[in-house]
């Protein structure tokens, strides 16, 4: 070893040691970026959306990676996951750590539109790609759009447009809205109001409730006294389940008011019971009982997770599959090239045929108007909806030039 005999050599050595330490600290992020293609699943693991997304979304992502062969560009594909607890600050700190330290390349799912919009800005200004399956706020691909943000399963516009217009056409022309009080509820209520009024209906009144509230009695009593013939539940997951159970206790459906759940999944049917839902209609992006191939996927998923996949969990499978195809096609996991390939390539998998990703990041595909089956007609625990009709994506989703996305020329 050479002795450090002068102040200059000591300073040079100190600088070298500092540089080496800095590189060591940076190593985890570099290893994540260079040594593997790393995917993060961020969602609600413990709150009202945990059944519809939660661990099932992680299972779906693992299935997509397995079906892809476990590697991309010859590198292992790794999955990490976390619970954002429906809090934007927790979601933001998790994603900052994933991008800055852990080398995550792409983030998927993100139910809760408030969290989703916060992450859009982080990813826009840092690195990575953000693909939402659970979060539906239409602003995400509208005025808040990003070259690196994609919306996969649905958005508030498509749900409101398809279900609102279909219900008005069937005579449900006077509505009362029971909406969750955060960005998702505000966006869906606005999109639904527009769809209803354009179809010739009207809004009799509305009320907001906190996220994850256990007691809907005061809100349902207001709906019951409104004179509306249709009551829309503008919420999801546990909130929708609790509201529908309590609406039955108050006798809203028995008094002639039609209950409309704007986001409703097979897990919700199982939580309530099909025979208590009397043919409730819902809009879903995907349905696992469509054909023999999708049914086989549902059975495989159920063996791993215990229930059949929701449309949001299926959306994670489809989105991860498309992302990995884009990585391979781009020949790199650098986000600019991958994001460009995601827009360029058609979306083709078990559930999406001829899907297309627009300039604003919205994936256009058919939306399904579904109706809850009586339990006597269900062949499996996953077979709870029948498809009334498929609504073409170009009809269901907002026109490209109407969202205000700056990426649209």
């Amino acid at each position: 070893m050479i002795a450090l005999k002068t102040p200059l050599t000591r300073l040079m050595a100190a600088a070298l040691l500092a540089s080496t330490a800095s590189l060591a600290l940076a190593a985890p992020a570099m290893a994540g970026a260079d040594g593997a293609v790393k995917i993060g699943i961020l969602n609600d693991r413990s709150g009202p959306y945990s059944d519809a997304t939660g661990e099932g979304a992680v299972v779906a992502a693992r299935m997509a990676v397995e079906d892809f062969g476990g590697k991309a560009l010859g590198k292992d594909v790794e999955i990490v996951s976390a619970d954002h607890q429906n809090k934007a600050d927790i979601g933001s700190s998790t994603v900052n750590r994933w991008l800055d330290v852990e080398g995550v390349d792409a983030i998927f799912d993100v139910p809760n539109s408030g969290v989703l919009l916060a992450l859009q800005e982080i990813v826009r200004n840092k690195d990575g790609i953000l693909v939402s399956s659970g979060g539906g706020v239409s602003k995400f691909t509208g005025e808040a759009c990003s070259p690196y943000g994609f919306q996969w399963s649905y958005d508030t516009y498509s749900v409101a447009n398809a279900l609102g217009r279909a219900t008005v056409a069937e005579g449900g022309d006077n509505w009362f809205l029971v909406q969750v009080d955060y960005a998702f509820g505000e966006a869906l209520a606005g999109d639904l109001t527009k769809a209803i009024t354009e179809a010739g209906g009207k809004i009799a009144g509305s009320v907001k409730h906190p996220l994850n509230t256990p007691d809907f009695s005061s809100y349902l009593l207001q709906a019951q006294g409104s004179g509306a013939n249709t009551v829309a539940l503008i919420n999801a997951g546990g909130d929708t389940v609790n509201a529908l159970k309590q609406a039955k206790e108050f006798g809203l459906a028995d008094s002639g008011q039609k209950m409309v759940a704007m986001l409703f999944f097979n897990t919700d049917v199982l939580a309530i019971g099909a025979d208590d839902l009397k043919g409730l209609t819902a809009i879903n992006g995907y349905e696992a009982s469509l054909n023999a191939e999708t049914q086989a996927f549902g059975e495989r998923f159920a063996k791993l997770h215990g229930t059949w996949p929701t449309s949001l969990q299926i959306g994670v499978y489809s989105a991860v599959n498309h992302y990995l195809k884009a990585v391979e096609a781009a020949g790199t996991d650098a986000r600019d090239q991958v994001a460009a390939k995601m827009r360029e390539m058609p979306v083709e998998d078990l559930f999406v045929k001829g899907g297309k990703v627009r300039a604003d990041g919205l994936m256009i595909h058919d939306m399904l108007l579904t109706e809850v089956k009586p339990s006597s007609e269900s062949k499996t625990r996953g077979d709870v909806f029948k498809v009334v009709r498929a609504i073409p994506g170009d009809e269901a989703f907002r026109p490209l030039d109407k969202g205000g996305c700056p990426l649209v020329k």
Side-chain angles (χ1 to χ4, degrees):
M1 181 179 292
I2 299 173
L4 302 179
K5 295 181 179 180
T6 68
L8 179 59
T9 53
R10 291 193 191 100
L11 286 172
M12 291 172 64
L16 178 61
L17 287 170
S19 175
T20 303
S22 176
L23 287 170
L25 287 172
M30 292 175 65
D34 298 334
V37 175
K38 204 163 186 179
I39 287 170
I41 310 297
L42 184 67
N43 59 25
D44 177 4
R45 310 295 296 274
S46 55
Y49 308 140
S50 55
D51 286 344
T53 61
E55 178 62 20
V58 180
V59 171
R62 288 180 182 142
M63 290 174 69
V65 172
E66 179 183 338
D67 290 349
F68 199 77
K71 292 181 180 292
L73 304 177
K75 299 186 289 187
D76 290 338
V77 180
E78 297 179 3
I79 295 176
V80 297
S81 62
D83 184 353
H84 61 40
Q85 300 177 41
N86 291 296
K87 296 177 180 177
D89 58 341
I90 292 176
S92 296
S93 63
T94 300
V95 166
N96 277 318
R97 184 182 73 251
W98 279 357
L99 297 178
D100 294 343
V101 179
E102 298 184 22
V104 169
D105 295 292
I107 301 150
F108 294 83
D109 200 13
V110 199
N112 188 301
S113 296
V115 179
L116 180 64
L117 291 173
L119 300 192
Q120 180 85 309
E121 298 313 306
I122 292 173
V123 173
R124 184 199 309 275
N125 295 307
K126 282 199 170 183
D127 201 357
I129 283 173
L130 176 61
V131 190
S132 172
S133 178
V137 60
S138 55
K139 180 180 178 181
F140 181 74
T141 56
E143 60 193 80
C145 72
S146 161
Y148 313 110
F150 299 86
Q151 200 155 32
W152 216 254
S153 298
Y154 76 104
D155 69 355
T156 54
Y157 181 98
S158 62
V159 170
N161 185 47
L163 192 52
R165 290 178 183 274
T167 304
V168 171
E170 294 172 357
D173 59 356
N174 190 8
W175 293 60
F176 188 91
L177 314 182
V178 179
Q179 72 181 76
V180 65
D181 189 13
Y182 77 101
F184 164 74
E186 198 67 25
L188 184 47
D191 287 331
L192 180 59
T193 297
K194 186 173 186 292
I196 290 168
T197 54
E198 288 181 352
K202 66 178 183 178
I203 307 297
S206 64
V207 64
K208 297 179 180 180
H209 69 82
L211 177 66
N212 208 20
T213 186
D215 185 5
F216 281 86
S217 56
S218 65
Y219 314 118
L220 293 171
L221 286 171
Q222 290 181 60
Q224 198 168 38
S226 68
N229 57 29
T230 305
V231 178
L233 299 177
I234 303 179
N235 47 31
D239 282 337
T240 301
V241 169
N242 286 334
L244 283 170
K245 285 180 176 179
Q246 292 171 42
K248 180 175 174 58
E249 293 172 7
F250 282 100
L252 269 70
D254 293 336
S255 67
Q257 287 182 303
K258 179 179 177 61
M259 301 298 299
V260 175
M262 298 307 295
L263 280 186
F264 200 64
F265 308 107
N266 52 306
T267 49
D268 302 328
V269 177
L270 297 176
I272 297 170
D275 295 333
D276 286 332
L277 294 169
K278 295 185 178 180
L280 184 84
T281 53
I283 294 290
N284 276 296
Y286 320 104
E287 174 54 42
S289 60
L290 270 180
N291 54 52
E293 191 178 24
T294 60
Q295 287 171 20
F297 178 92
E299 295 287 1
R300 178 181 158 210
F301 182 95
K303 287 179 181 178
L304 296 170
H305 187 57
T307 64
W308 277 46
T310 66
S311 60
L312 303 186
Q313 291 159 347
I314 290 169
V316 171
Y317 175 89
S318 173
V320 170
N321 177 275
H322 189 72
Y323 170 76
L324 293 175
K325 287 179 179 177
V327 169
E328 285 282 1
T332 176
D333 55 7
R335 72 169 181 171
D336 285 295
Q337 292 93 317
V338 174
K341 283 294 180 184
M342 289 180 71
R343 285 177 167 84
E344 175 187 320
M345 298 168 61
V347 182
E348 294 285 345
D349 55 49
L350 286 172
F351 299 96
V352 184
K353 306 301 179 186
K356 56 187 178 183
V357 181
R358 299 192 317 198
D360 57 2
L362 185 62
M363 200 271 280
I364 305 300
H365 56 94
D366 290 353
M367 296 293 285
L368 305 175
L369 178 62
T370 60
E371 182 179 300
V372 177
K373 291 181 176 181
S375 59
S376 60
E377 296 181 13
S378 295
K379 299 175 183 177
T380 69
R381 280 178 58 81
D383 179 30
V384 298
F385 290 114
K386 65 179 178 181
V387 176
V388 177
R389 67 184 178 96
I391 301 169
D394 289 335
E395 179 184 326
F397 288 94
R398 179 180 59 205
L400 180 60
D401 61 349
K402 301 298 184 184
C405 173
L407 301 176
V408 177
K409 297 179 181 179

